[in-house]
Amino acid sequence: MTLATKAFRDLPEDYMYRQAILRFCHGCFNAIAGEMAANTRPSTMEAAVDKVKWAVHTHTAVHGRAKRDVRQTTVQDISQGWFLYSVKEESQSPTGQSTLTPLGACEKRLDTIKQ
């Protein structure tokens, strides 16, 4: 609001408030929540913040949190304080099946060769 006051000092106060609220909605990190809040055309900044928070809350409630990669790390003692770190990464494909990353696929092949 401080920046809007400086930017729109020669324009009507009502216009300044509408533009600041609209720019807040358009500049949200979560674009979907910002769009939903902007479409409700809130009249105050507090109302805009509430609309964004509610949009984030309902989106998370309906769709859940974003899936993150699963990472498994093992540490093996080789000799005298040197450690070997082995990292396997697995991610969920859109079909829900586990897919290995290139590093995980290479380690899986090495395990097969060792056996």
Side-chain angles (χ1 to χ4, degrees), residues 21 24-25 28 37 40 42-53:
I21 292 167
F24 167 76
C25 293
C28 285
T40 62
S43 58
T44 65
M45 188 60 77
E46 291 80 18
V49 171
D50 287 343
K51 298 289 184 187
V52 168
K53 286 181 179 180

Side-chain angles (χ1 to χ4, degrees), residues 1-105:
M1 293 305 291
T2 303
L3 291 174
T5 303
K6 291 178 182 179
F8 301 111
R9 72 177 133 224
D10 297 333
L11 297 171
E13 195 171 305
D14 185 47
Y15 179 80
M16 182 217 32
Y17 282 120
R18 282 186 285 140
Q19 289 301 311
I21 292 167
L22 186 62
R23 298 296 184 256
F24 167 76
C25 293
H26 288 172
C28 285
F29 182 72
N30 186 329
I32 296 169
E35 180 184 4
M36 291 174 71
N39 286 338
T40 62
R41 300 184 57 98
S43 58
T44 65
M45 188 60 77
E46 291 80 18
V49 171
D50 287 343
K51 298 289 184 187
V52 168
K53 286 181 179 180
W54 184 250
V56 169
H57 171 73
T58 57
H59 187 269
T60 303
V62 172
H63 298 288
R65 293 186 180 262
K67 301 272 185 207
R68 297 190 184 208
D69 290 342
V70 175
R71 182 176 278 202
Q72 295 176 345
T73 305
T74 59
V75 180
Q76 298 172 351
D77 183 10
I78 295 178
S79 65
Q80 298 177 1
W82 291 91
F83 295 97
L84 172 68
Y85 290 93
S86 173
V87 178
K88 294 182 182 179
E89 294 183 10
E90 294 187 27
S91 60
Q92 294 292 328
S93 69
T95 60
Q97 297 176 345
S98 176
T99 59
L100 291 175
T101 61
L103 178 63

